[in-house]
Amino acid sequence: MNKCLVLAAILVLAALAGGCSRGGQAGQAGQITVGFSQVGAESEWRTANTASVKAALAAPEFRLKFSDAQQKQENQIKALRSFIAQRVDVIAFSPVVESGWETVLREAKNAHIPVVLTDRAVKVSDESLYATFIGSDFVEEGRKAARWVLEDSKGKPGPIRVAELQGTVGSAPANDRMKGFHEVLDADPRFQVVRSQSGDFTRAKGKEVMEAFLKAEGNKIDVLFAHNDDMAIGAIQAIEEAGLKPGQDIRIVSIDGVHGAFEAMKAGKLNATIECNPLLGPKLAQLIRDIKAGQPVPRRVVVEEGVFTQDQVAAELPKRKY
Ligand code: AHR
C-alpha cells in the first residue's frame, strides 16, 4: 500500500514538473511563455499590432504575459525586469525609444532569456543583447513619402513650404522617417521645411500641433508630411477648422496605411499613405518557435510594404486587414 502511495506521488510530481513552463506557474507541457511589452495604444496601427501579437501568441502553444507601457520607457524597463524575475522563456518588445536599453538587456542576457525586438529598433553597443529584430524599414518609408511629394509637385515652382509632424521624440520611426524624408527632399531646392515638431503619434497631439503650425504660418503651408496616419487625421481636423481644404490647399502624405487613412483618402482629405504593416504576430511567433528549438534566426526580418494614393482606394479599401 505504502509503495503504491509513493509511486502515485512520484507520478504526480513528474506530471507537474513536465507541465510547468520556465515561467514557473502551471502551464501545459511544452508551452512557451513569452513576456511582451507593448509601446501603448497611441494609434490605430498600434491597436492592430497588439491584436496581431495576441492572436499569434495564443494558448495552448504560448502563454503570453502582455504589458502596456503607455508610451513610457520606465514602464517598459519595469515590465522587462518583471519578465526576467518570472523567468519567461522569451521576451519580445517594441521599444518606445531607441536608447537607454543596455542595462536591462544585459540583465536578460545574464538570465539566458532571448530577446526579440518587434517593430522598433534599439541603439546598443553590443548587438548580442538581442536575438533578432522584426519590423519595417522606417528610413525607406520616409524616402517613399518624399518621393511621393516630389512626384506630386512635378512642374510646380518653388518655394514649396512643407510642415512635418514628427512621431514620438527619440523613437526609431520618428528618427528614421525624418532621416529618409530629408535625404530625398532636401536635394530639391524648391522645398523649404518651415515647421517640424512632434505630435507623439496621436490624433489629439497631431491636431494640436497643426493648429499651432497654422497659427504661425497662416495659409502658407503647401505640403504636410505626418509620420503616421493618426497625426495626419488630427491635422486634417485642424486644417478644416481653419477654413482650409485638406488634400487640396495642403497636400498631405502620412505613414501606416490604416483604415482611417483610406477613409480620409476616399473623402479626398488625405493624398497618400505609405504602408507600415502592423501584422507582425505570425512572423514573431515563428521566430520565437525557432529560437526555442535552437534554430538559427536572421538578425533582421524586414516587412514588405506599398504606397497608396487616392486613385487606389476603391480597389484597396475592401481588402485592407487593418
Ligand atoms: O512604430 C510604428 C509606429 O508607431 C506607427 O507608424 C505609429 O502609428 C505607431 O504609433
Side-chain angles (χ1 to χ4, degrees):
M1 178 64 181
N2 269 353
K3 268 188 188 164
C4 283
L5 278 177
V6 171
L7 189 64
I10 289 170
L11 287 174
V12 168
L13 284 174
L16 280 175
C20 276
S21 77
R22 199 182 167 205
Q25 293 144 28
Q28 296 175 30
Q31 199 174 36
I32 305 173
T33 302
V34 182
F36 186 92
S37 169
Q38 180 61 290
V39 169
E42 74 283 5
S43 62
E44 213 180 314
W45 188 99
R46 189 65 56 196
T47 306
N49 179 248
T50 294
S52 171
V53 168
K54 284 187 173 171
L57 299 183
E61 187 183 4
F62 295 97
R63 186 154 61 116
L64 176 64
K65 292 169 182 281
F66 184 90
S67 172
D68 178 339
Q70 297 176 345
Q71 294 247 63
K72 292 201 173 80
Q73 183 177 32
E74 65 261 33
N75 291 347
Q76 282 201 302
I77 292 177
K78 263 188 215 150
L80 263 49
R81 291 210 163 111
S82 148
F83 296 150
I84 295 169
Q86 293 173 69
R87 297 176 47 73
V88 299
D89 295 306
V90 176
I91 289 174
F93 82 117
S94 177
V96 179
V97 289
E98 281 193 289
S99 48
W101 298 105
E102 203 96 22
T103 307
V104 71
L105 289 184
R106 196 158 296 287
E107 289 166 24
K109 190 177 177 187
N110 291 342
H112 305 289
I113 301 175
V115 173
V116 178
L117 301 178
T118 78
D119 162 37
R120 298 183 180 182
V122 295
K123 275 187 188 142
V124 282
S125 56
D126 177 1
E127 297 233 318
S128 78
L129 292 177
Y130 61 90
T132 178
F133 165 34
I134 174 176
S136 308
D137 181 341
F138 294 140
V139 178
E140 186 54 23
E141 288 172 353
R143 290 190 196 111
K144 284 177 183 168
R147 284 186 206 119
W148 178 84
V149 173
L150 291 182
E151 184 64 29
D152 189 61
S153 309
K154 257 191 187 154
K156 289 184 190 164
I160 300 173
R161 297 165 63 83
V162 181
E164 178 178 17
L165 279 170
Q166 300 171 21
T168 302
V169 174
S171 69
N175 293 342
D176 292 354
R177 286 170 184 169
M178 192 154 140
K179 183 173 172 222
F181 185 75
H182 287 273
E183 185 186 299
V184 174
L185 201 82
D186 295 355
D188 186 327
R190 287 177 304 159
F191 294 96
Q192 289 175 6
V193 178
V194 292
R195 295 274 147 184
S196 184
Q197 198 181 311
S198 173
D200 212 14
F201 282 130
T202 69
R203 280 186 197 200
K205 222 35 204 332
K207 179 169 189 266
E208 190 185 307
V209 176
M210 191 66 200
E211 279 165 1
F213 285 175
L214 290 165
K215 231 182 219 165
E217 297 295 328
N219 57 0
K220 285 197 236 125
I221 295 172
D222 303 302
V223 175
L224 171 66
F225 167 45
H227 287 193
N228 82 344
D229 291 338
D230 280 77
M231 292 190 294
I233 292 166
I236 284 169
Q237 281 178 34
I239 294 166
E240 285 180 319
E241 284 171 17
L244 297 168
K245 287 203 171 87
Q248 291 179 36
D249 297 326
I250 301 179
R251 309 285 286 170
I252 308 173
V253 58
S254 56
I255 296 180
D256 278 353
V258 294
H259 262 116
F262 276 78
E263 293 296 347
M265 286 198 292
K266 194 173 164 189
K269 298 177 182 183
L270 176 72
N271 302 95
T273 184
I274 314 299
E275 189 176 37
C276 177
N277 191 341
L279 307 181
L280 303 178
K283 278 191 180 155
L284 170 63
Q286 191 51 48
L287 287 169
I288 291 172
R289 277 183 205 113
D290 290 346
I291 289 169
K292 275 298 290 169
Q295 303 283 340
V297 288
R299 287 292 303 161
R300 178 81 169 97
V301 180
V302 186
V303 184
E304 288 287 310
E305 291 155 342
V307 174
F308 299 98
T309 47
Q310 287 177 355
D311 50 322
Q312 291 161 282
V313 171
E316 286 298 324
L317 187 52
K319 293 191 255 166
R320 298 303 291 171
K321 293 198 178 78
Y322 54 91

